[in-house]
Amino acid sequence: QSPAKNDDSEGQGDFLNIKFDRKDSYQTPDRPKNDLMIRAALGETVEKTPIWLFRQAGRHLPEYQAYKEETGRNFVELLAYPEVCE
């Protein structure tokens, strides 16, 4: 039996030689209406490339503070100027 085999029909699984019990009560939740990011992450064909913005990642960086001082633009306004994005 392959160590990655996982098809025991009695609710027991064997994955990499680790035994576990399947939870019969678990159901995968429905996808949200706007599932573009999920479909792209799953490798499905999507109608446009999704983007993810994580605003807080650099808001205290000296480069961002300098940009704000030089331009007078906040984060949302920065999005309108793609030439400054790297």
Side-chain angles (χ1 to χ4, degrees):
Q1 192 180 62
S2 168
K5 190 168 184 172
N6 188 7
D7 62 356
D8 182 31
S9 62
E10 296 199 19
Q12 296 291 318
D14 182 22
F15 183 75
L16 300 177
N17 294 323
I18 299 171
K19 299 282 185 191
F20 62 91
D21 289 323
R22 293 186 183 144
K23 300 289 183 191
D24 292 328
S25 61
Y26 179 79
Q27 292 182 346
T28 303
D30 293 334
R31 286 187 182 179
K33 288 181 182 179
N34 180 5
D35 66 347
L36 181 67
M37 185 71 73
I38 296 169
R39 289 185 286 125
L42 292 172
E44 297 177 13
T45 301
V46 292
E47 59 278 9
K48 58 186 173 182
T49 302
I51 61 168
W52 180 285
L53 295 175
F54 188 62
R55 186 179 82 83
Q56 291 185 332
R59 67 181 178 159
H60 298 294
L61 291 175
E63 296 86 354
Y64 177 63
Q65 294 299 323
Y67 173 82
K68 281 180 32 177
E69 288 178 25
E70 291 172 19
T71 64
R73 298 180 190 139
N74 64 30
F75 180 77
V76 174
E77 294 165 332
L78 171 129
L79 299 177
Y81 299 90
E83 67 274 4
V84 299
C85 299
E86 295 181 10

